[in-house]
Amino acid sequence: MATVSVRQYHRGGFSFENCKRNALLEADINKLGFSSPAARKTGTTICGVVYKDGVVLGADTRATEGMVVADKNCSKIHYISPNVYCCGAGTAADTEMTTQIISSNLELHSLSTGRLPRVATANRMLKQMLFRYQGYIGAALVLGGVDSTGPQLYSIYPHGSTDKLPYVTMGSGSLAAMAVFEDRYKPNMEEEEAKRLVRDAIAAGIFNDLGSGSNIDLCVITKGKVDYLRPHDVANKKGVREDKINGRPETGNYRYKHGTTGVLTKAVTPLNLEVVEESVQTMDTS
Amino acid sequence: MNTRGLRSQLKDSVPVTGLCPQAGPYGVQDSLRRGFSSVKNELLPSHPLELSEKNFQLNQDKMNFNTLRNIQGLHAPLKLQMEYRAARQIQRLPFLPSSNLALDTLRGTDDSIGFEDILNDPVLSEIMGDPHIMTEYKLGVL
């Protein structure tokens, strides 16, 4: 083990040792014309809506890495506590780690207070952490849950600002999803109606945004019950062509149906062959 | 405890607000991590968050003590800071890691998890302090 003369003991947390080196490398790589690897983002559509008895959260399931799909079925709805779930958009690792840390902290906090955690607590913890890192942690979150004060829904931006609203969307497909919400949202909807609305909003994001795709996940949170529907709807089925008539895919099939060409005459001539000689040669398989 | 020892404790407990010099672990220029040495490199932080993260705990404490002073009067932060100073002195040998349990309990960080518990855990650190130099520094001889 190397020994070092240090004045203070080595502390945990983020280490900025390699930042200068990385900046130099970046400059050199750009001079040569290459580009440095991009972090995996979730390029997403996530949304949430408050209905009569609780909250419905929805998300798509595609994770992109630059222009390539990195994960066709990733899970974007993260568990925070039994009554609070959080959808994450932005850098995939950041949303994953942030929600896990807040989940652990909330669990410790609820053990210490002896009560079910509140959504506002999770919101406050997330916003303080994201503000501390000044937006360098790229996590845009939709936090929803039901607690003793009722169903609540928050949207949290990477720099640490939050909004408490009845319906929110985030991610690259947020405008498409918000268009659906603005058209059809009503306060105090029933559960089926809310689920259909969220499903349609996410579908709008999937079909109109390149960064979103694959399936639709839903999470319905009510007082005392959580329904995690994964997948709720498979919007894009892989390998199945759209039109299928009579069990045969119509597109790309150039075989003619039986009876297309009319038969005029038919003559069958059997060929009689006699066996002259039969010999067996064994193969050398040693 | 002799006063000189206390003085060195004081030096330890106030983090430097500037940046470390270019010297790496062995005292030589660490080109791999910090790049080529230049005055600009030494004066400017390598990342906008570096300074704020280095002083984060200190700034939090300052803010909290100020609020406490405004609410309850000077005696409250004074008493708390005395307790902090006492708790900070509960350490092992100078070059060995300490759990800082008393300090954590006072600060309230014993029931919360942050990046300092997950990333770069000091328990898994690959370098350790040189016993002689650390002891000399702690005792104020160096």
Side-chain angles (χ1 to χ4, degrees), chain A residues 54-101:
Chain A
V55 164
V56 179
L57 298 172
D60 72 304
T61 58
R62 175 183 287 183
T64 52
E65 202 166 313
M67 284 288 121
V68 175
V69 173
D71 193 341
K72 292 188 279 265
N73 198 356
C74 75
S75 156
K76 295 184 192 178
I77 305 186
H78 308 284
Y79 164 89
I80 302 258
S81 81
N83 59 330
V84 176
Y85 277 74
C86 181
C87 311
T91 311
D94 288 348
T95 59
E96 190 75 37
M97 289 308 304
T98 308
T99 47
Q100 282 176 351
I101 287 180

Short mmCIF file of all heavy atoms in Angstrom, two decimals, chain A residues 54-101:
data_model
loop_
_atom_site.label_atom_id
_atom_site.label_comp_id
_atom_site.label_asym_id
_atom_site.label_seq_id
_atom_site.Cartn_x
_atom_site.Cartn_y
_atom_site.Cartn_z
N GLY A 54 -56.07 8.81 -6.37
CA GLY A 54 -54.62 8.69 -6.26
C GLY A 54 -53.89 9.30 -7.44
O GLY A 54 -54.32 10.31 -7.99
N VAL A 55 -52.80 8.62 -7.82
CA VAL A 55 -51.90 9.16 -8.83
C VAL A 55 -51.60 8.06 -9.84
O VAL A 55 -51.41 6.90 -9.46
CB VAL A 55 -50.59 9.62 -8.15
CG1 VAL A 55 -49.49 9.81 -9.15
CG2 VAL A 55 -50.81 10.91 -7.40
N VAL A 56 -51.57 8.41 -11.13
CA VAL A 56 -51.12 7.46 -12.15
C VAL A 56 -49.85 8.01 -12.77
O VAL A 56 -49.82 9.14 -13.25
CB VAL A 56 -52.18 7.29 -13.27
CG1 VAL A 56 -51.66 6.31 -14.32
CG2 VAL A 56 -53.48 6.79 -12.70
N LEU A 57 -48.77 7.21 -12.74
CA LEU A 57 -47.51 7.60 -13.38
C LEU A 57 -47.31 6.75 -14.61
O LEU A 57 -47.63 5.56 -14.60
CB LEU A 57 -46.33 7.39 -12.43
CG LEU A 57 -46.33 8.18 -11.13
CD1 LEU A 57 -45.21 7.69 -10.25
CD2 LEU A 57 -46.15 9.65 -11.40
N GLY A 58 -46.78 7.34 -15.67
CA GLY A 58 -46.52 6.57 -16.88
C GLY A 58 -45.17 6.89 -17.45
O GLY A 58 -44.64 7.98 -17.27
N ALA A 59 -44.57 5.90 -18.16
CA ALA A 59 -43.26 6.12 -18.78
C ALA A 59 -43.12 5.20 -19.97
O ALA A 59 -43.73 4.14 -20.02
CB ALA A 59 -42.15 5.86 -17.76
N ASP A 60 -42.27 5.59 -20.92
CA ASP A 60 -41.93 4.68 -22.02
C ASP A 60 -40.74 3.85 -21.55
O ASP A 60 -40.34 3.93 -20.38
CB ASP A 60 -41.60 5.47 -23.29
CG ASP A 60 -40.27 6.17 -23.16
OD1 ASP A 60 -40.09 6.94 -22.20
OD2 ASP A 60 -39.40 5.93 -24.01
N THR A 61 -40.17 3.00 -22.44
CA THR A 61 -39.11 2.12 -21.95
C THR A 61 -37.87 2.11 -22.84
O THR A 61 -37.19 1.10 -22.95
CB THR A 61 -39.62 0.67 -21.83
OG1 THR A 61 -40.08 0.26 -23.11
CG2 THR A 61 -40.71 0.56 -20.81
N ARG A 62 -37.58 3.24 -23.49
CA ARG A 62 -36.38 3.23 -24.36
C ARG A 62 -35.27 4.04 -23.73
O ARG A 62 -35.50 5.15 -23.26
CB ARG A 62 -36.75 3.81 -25.73
CG ARG A 62 -35.55 3.95 -26.65
CD ARG A 62 -35.93 4.58 -27.96
NE ARG A 62 -36.69 3.65 -28.79
CZ ARG A 62 -37.10 3.95 -30.02
NH1 ARG A 62 -36.84 5.12 -30.54
NH2 ARG A 62 -37.78 3.09 -30.71
N ALA A 63 -34.03 3.51 -23.76
CA ALA A 63 -32.86 4.26 -23.31
C ALA A 63 -31.93 4.42 -24.50
O ALA A 63 -31.61 3.44 -25.17
CB ALA A 63 -32.15 3.53 -22.17
N THR A 64 -31.52 5.66 -24.79
CA THR A 64 -30.68 5.92 -25.97
C THR A 64 -29.27 6.29 -25.57
O THR A 64 -29.03 6.83 -24.49
CB THR A 64 -31.26 7.07 -26.81
OG1 THR A 64 -31.46 8.19 -25.95
CG2 THR A 64 -32.55 6.67 -27.43
N GLU A 65 -28.33 6.00 -26.46
CA GLU A 65 -26.93 6.36 -26.24
C GLU A 65 -26.47 7.07 -27.49
O GLU A 65 -26.02 6.45 -28.43
CB GLU A 65 -26.12 5.08 -26.02
CG GLU A 65 -24.83 5.27 -25.29
CD GLU A 65 -24.28 3.95 -24.83
OE1 GLU A 65 -25.04 3.15 -24.26
OE2 GLU A 65 -23.09 3.70 -25.05
N GLY A 66 -26.67 8.37 -27.52
CA GLY A 66 -26.39 9.10 -28.76
C GLY A 66 -27.52 8.82 -29.73
O GLY A 66 -28.69 9.06 -29.45
N MET A 67 -27.19 8.23 -30.89
CA MET A 67 -28.22 7.95 -31.88
C MET A 67 -28.62 6.48 -31.90
O MET A 67 -29.29 6.03 -32.82
CB MET A 67 -27.69 8.34 -33.27
CG MET A 67 -27.69 9.82 -33.49
SD MET A 67 -29.35 10.43 -33.70
CE MET A 67 -29.47 11.60 -32.37
N VAL A 68 -28.18 5.73 -30.92
CA VAL A 68 -28.44 4.28 -30.91
C VAL A 68 -29.30 3.96 -29.69
O VAL A 68 -29.12 4.55 -28.62
CB VAL A 68 -27.10 3.51 -30.82
CG1 VAL A 68 -27.33 2.04 -30.70
CG2 VAL A 68 -26.26 3.81 -32.04
N VAL A 69 -30.22 3.00 -29.84
CA VAL A 69 -31.03 2.58 -28.69
C VAL A 69 -30.18 1.66 -27.83
O VAL A 69 -29.71 0.62 -28.29
CB VAL A 69 -32.29 1.84 -29.17
CG1 VAL A 69 -33.03 1.26 -27.99
CG2 VAL A 69 -33.18 2.77 -29.94
N ALA A 70 -29.98 2.03 -26.58
CA ALA A 70 -29.12 1.24 -25.71
C ALA A 70 -29.91 0.16 -24.99
O ALA A 70 -29.40 -0.93 -24.74
CB ALA A 70 -28.43 2.14 -24.69
N ASP A 71 -31.15 0.45 -24.63
CA ASP A 71 -31.95 -0.51 -23.89
C ASP A 71 -33.39 -0.43 -24.38
O ASP A 71 -33.99 0.62 -24.35
CB ASP A 71 -31.90 -0.19 -22.40
CG ASP A 71 -32.43 -1.33 -21.55
OD1 ASP A 71 -33.16 -2.19 -22.09
OD2 ASP A 71 -32.12 -1.35 -20.36
N LYS A 72 -33.90 -1.59 -24.89
CA LYS A 72 -35.24 -1.54 -25.47
C LYS A 72 -36.32 -1.63 -24.42
O LYS A 72 -37.47 -1.35 -24.69
CB LYS A 72 -35.42 -2.72 -26.45
CG LYS A 72 -34.54 -2.58 -27.69
CD LYS A 72 -34.90 -3.64 -28.69
CE LYS A 72 -34.24 -4.95 -28.34
NZ LYS A 72 -32.97 -5.16 -29.03
N ASN A 73 -35.96 -2.09 -23.24
CA ASN A 73 -37.00 -2.26 -22.24
C ASN A 73 -36.44 -1.92 -20.86
O ASN A 73 -36.31 -2.79 -20.01
CB ASN A 73 -37.50 -3.71 -22.27
CG ASN A 73 -38.84 -3.84 -21.59
OD1 ASN A 73 -39.35 -2.87 -21.04
ND2 ASN A 73 -39.40 -5.03 -21.64
N CYS A 74 -36.11 -0.64 -20.66
CA CYS A 74 -35.57 -0.27 -19.37
C CYS A 74 -36.72 0.23 -18.50
O CYS A 74 -37.75 0.65 -18.99
CB CYS A 74 -34.49 0.78 -19.50
SG CYS A 74 -35.09 2.41 -19.88
N SER A 75 -36.52 0.16 -17.20
CA SER A 75 -37.59 0.50 -16.28
C SER A 75 -37.34 1.90 -15.76
O SER A 75 -36.35 2.15 -15.10
CB SER A 75 -37.61 -0.53 -15.15
OG SER A 75 -38.21 0.04 -14.03
N LYS A 76 -38.26 2.83 -16.06
CA LYS A 76 -38.02 4.23 -15.69
C LYS A 76 -38.82 4.65 -14.47
O LYS A 76 -38.67 5.78 -14.01
CB LYS A 76 -38.37 5.14 -16.86
CG LYS A 76 -37.46 4.90 -18.02
CD LYS A 76 -37.71 5.85 -19.15
CE LYS A 76 -36.97 5.36 -20.36
NZ LYS A 76 -37.15 6.16 -21.54
N ILE A 77 -39.68 3.77 -13.98
CA ILE A 77 -40.45 4.14 -12.80
C ILE A 77 -39.74 3.51 -11.61
O ILE A 77 -39.73 2.28 -11.45
CB ILE A 77 -41.90 3.64 -12.92
CG1 ILE A 77 -42.51 4.18 -14.20
CG2 ILE A 77 -42.70 4.13 -11.73
CD1 ILE A 77 -43.97 3.88 -14.35
N HIS A 78 -39.15 4.35 -10.77
CA HIS A 78 -38.33 3.84 -9.67
C HIS A 78 -39.10 3.86 -8.37
O HIS A 78 -39.89 4.76 -8.11
CB HIS A 78 -37.07 4.69 -9.52
CG HIS A 78 -36.32 4.87 -10.80
ND1 HIS A 78 -35.54 3.88 -11.35
CD2 HIS A 78 -36.23 5.91 -11.64
CE1 HIS A 78 -35.01 4.32 -12.46
NE2 HIS A 78 -35.41 5.55 -12.68
N TYR A 79 -38.76 2.90 -7.51
CA TYR A 79 -39.41 2.81 -6.20
C TYR A 79 -38.73 3.78 -5.25
O TYR A 79 -37.50 3.84 -5.17
CB TYR A 79 -39.26 1.37 -5.72
CG TYR A 79 -39.52 1.16 -4.25
CD1 TYR A 79 -40.80 0.88 -3.81
CD2 TYR A 79 -38.50 1.21 -3.32
CE1 TYR A 79 -41.05 0.66 -2.48
CE2 TYR A 79 -38.74 1.00 -1.98
CZ TYR A 79 -40.02 0.72 -1.56
OH TYR A 79 -40.27 0.52 -0.23
N ILE A 80 -39.51 4.57 -4.54
CA ILE A 80 -38.91 5.44 -3.53
C ILE A 80 -39.33 4.96 -2.15
O ILE A 80 -38.52 4.84 -1.23
CB ILE A 80 -39.34 6.90 -3.73
CG1 ILE A 80 -38.97 7.39 -5.13
CG2 ILE A 80 -38.79 7.80 -2.67
CD1 ILE A 80 -37.77 8.25 -5.19
N SER A 81 -40.63 4.70 -1.98
CA SER A 81 -41.10 4.14 -0.73
C SER A 81 -42.41 3.43 -1.08
O SER A 81 -42.88 3.57 -2.20
CB SER A 81 -41.28 5.24 0.30
OG SER A 81 -42.50 5.90 0.12
N PRO A 82 -43.00 2.65 -0.17
CA PRO A 82 -44.18 1.87 -0.55
C PRO A 82 -45.31 2.73 -1.12
O PRO A 82 -46.10 2.24 -1.92
CB PRO A 82 -44.62 1.23 0.77
CG PRO A 82 -43.41 1.17 1.59
CD PRO A 82 -42.55 2.33 1.20
N ASN A 83 -45.36 4.01 -0.76
CA ASN A 83 -46.45 4.82 -1.29
C ASN A 83 -45.98 5.94 -2.21
O ASN A 83 -46.77 6.79 -2.59
CB ASN A 83 -47.24 5.45 -0.11
CG ASN A 83 -46.32 6.31 0.74
OD1 ASN A 83 -45.13 6.04 0.84
ND2 ASN A 83 -46.86 7.34 1.36
N VAL A 84 -44.71 5.93 -2.57
CA VAL A 84 -44.16 6.99 -3.43
C VAL A 84 -43.30 6.38 -4.52
O VAL A 84 -42.40 5.60 -4.23
CB VAL A 84 -43.29 7.98 -2.61
CG1 VAL A 84 -42.66 9.02 -3.51
CG2 VAL A 84 -44.10 8.66 -1.53
N TYR A 85 -43.62 6.71 -5.77
CA TYR A 85 -42.82 6.25 -6.90
C TYR A 85 -42.37 7.44 -7.71
O TYR A 85 -42.97 8.51 -7.65
CB TYR A 85 -43.62 5.28 -7.78
CG TYR A 85 -43.62 3.87 -7.26
CD1 TYR A 85 -44.37 3.51 -6.14
CD2 TYR A 85 -42.84 2.88 -7.87
CE1 TYR A 85 -44.36 2.23 -5.66
CE2 TYR A 85 -42.83 1.59 -7.40
CZ TYR A 85 -43.58 1.27 -6.28
OH TYR A 85 -43.57 -0.02 -5.80
N CYS A 86 -41.27 7.26 -8.49
CA CYS A 86 -40.67 8.39 -9.17
C CYS A 86 -40.26 7.97 -10.57
O CYS A 86 -39.57 6.96 -10.74
CB CYS A 86 -39.44 8.83 -8.38
SG CYS A 86 -38.60 10.22 -9.08
N CYS A 87 -40.69 8.73 -11.60
CA CYS A 87 -40.21 8.46 -12.96
C CYS A 87 -39.02 9.35 -13.23
O CYS A 87 -38.98 10.50 -12.79
CB CYS A 87 -41.27 8.82 -14.00
SG CYS A 87 -42.86 8.17 -13.68
N GLY A 88 -38.04 8.85 -13.98
CA GLY A 88 -36.82 9.62 -14.20
C GLY A 88 -36.48 9.80 -15.66
O GLY A 88 -36.47 8.84 -16.43
N ALA A 89 -36.17 11.04 -16.05
CA ALA A 89 -35.69 11.34 -17.40
C ALA A 89 -34.34 12.01 -17.28
O ALA A 89 -34.01 12.58 -16.25
CB ALA A 89 -36.67 12.26 -18.11
N GLY A 90 -33.55 11.97 -18.35
CA GLY A 90 -32.23 12.59 -18.31
C GLY A 90 -31.17 11.52 -18.36
O GLY A 90 -31.36 10.47 -18.96
N THR A 91 -30.04 11.76 -17.73
CA THR A 91 -28.97 10.75 -17.73
C THR A 91 -29.41 9.56 -16.89
O THR A 91 -29.78 9.70 -15.73
CB THR A 91 -27.68 11.35 -17.14
OG1 THR A 91 -27.45 12.60 -17.77
CG2 THR A 91 -26.51 10.44 -17.40
N ALA A 92 -29.34 8.35 -17.49
CA ALA A 92 -29.91 7.17 -16.84
C ALA A 92 -29.25 6.89 -15.50
O ALA A 92 -29.93 6.61 -14.50
CB ALA A 92 -29.76 5.96 -17.77
N ALA A 93 -27.91 6.96 -15.44
CA ALA A 93 -27.22 6.65 -14.19
C ALA A 93 -27.60 7.64 -13.10
O ALA A 93 -27.77 7.27 -11.93
CB ALA A 93 -25.71 6.66 -14.41
N ASP A 94 -27.71 8.91 -13.48
CA ASP A 94 -28.04 9.94 -12.49
C ASP A 94 -29.41 9.69 -11.87
O ASP A 94 -29.58 9.76 -10.65
CB ASP A 94 -28.01 11.33 -13.12
CG ASP A 94 -26.59 11.78 -13.43
OD1 ASP A 94 -25.65 11.12 -12.95
OD2 ASP A 94 -26.42 12.78 -14.14
N THR A 95 -30.42 9.39 -12.72
CA THR A 95 -31.75 9.18 -12.16
C THR A 95 -31.76 7.94 -11.28
O THR A 95 -32.34 7.94 -10.18
CB THR A 95 -32.82 9.01 -13.25
OG1 THR A 95 -32.47 7.90 -14.06
CG2 THR A 95 -32.96 10.24 -14.09
N GLU A 96 -31.08 6.89 -11.71
CA GLU A 96 -31.03 5.64 -10.96
C GLU A 96 -30.42 5.87 -9.58
O GLU A 96 -31.00 5.54 -8.55
CB GLU A 96 -30.18 4.65 -11.76
CG GLU A 96 -30.21 3.25 -11.27
CD GLU A 96 -31.49 2.54 -11.61
OE1 GLU A 96 -32.03 2.76 -12.70
OE2 GLU A 96 -31.97 1.79 -10.75
N MET A 97 -29.22 6.46 -9.54
CA MET A 97 -28.52 6.64 -8.26
C MET A 97 -29.24 7.62 -7.37
O MET A 97 -29.36 7.40 -6.15
CB MET A 97 -27.09 7.15 -8.50
CG MET A 97 -26.13 6.17 -9.09
SD MET A 97 -26.05 4.61 -8.24
CE MET A 97 -25.66 5.11 -6.62
N THR A 98 -29.74 8.72 -7.94
CA THR A 98 -30.44 9.72 -7.13
C THR A 98 -31.66 9.11 -6.47
O THR A 98 -31.88 9.28 -5.26
CB THR A 98 -30.87 10.91 -8.00
OG1 THR A 98 -29.74 11.39 -8.71
CG2 THR A 98 -31.45 12.01 -7.16
N THR A 99 -32.46 8.37 -7.25
CA THR A 99 -33.67 7.81 -6.65
C THR A 99 -33.32 6.76 -5.61
O THR A 99 -34.00 6.64 -4.58
CB THR A 99 -34.59 7.20 -7.71
OG1 THR A 99 -33.83 6.38 -8.57
CG2 THR A 99 -35.29 8.27 -8.51
N GLN A 100 -32.23 6.01 -5.83
CA GLN A 100 -31.86 5.02 -4.81
C GLN A 100 -31.41 5.68 -3.52
O GLN A 100 -31.77 5.24 -2.42
CB GLN A 100 -30.75 4.11 -5.35
CG GLN A 100 -31.29 3.05 -6.28
CD GLN A 100 -30.20 2.21 -6.88
OE1 GLN A 100 -29.02 2.50 -6.74
NE2 GLN A 100 -30.59 1.16 -7.56
N ILE A 101 -30.61 6.74 -3.64
CA ILE A 101 -30.14 7.43 -2.44
C ILE A 101 -31.32 8.03 -1.67
O ILE A 101 -31.41 7.90 -0.44
CB ILE A 101 -29.12 8.53 -2.81
CG1 ILE A 101 -27.81 7.90 -3.22
CG2 ILE A 101 -28.90 9.49 -1.66
CD1 ILE A 101 -26.76 8.89 -3.59
#
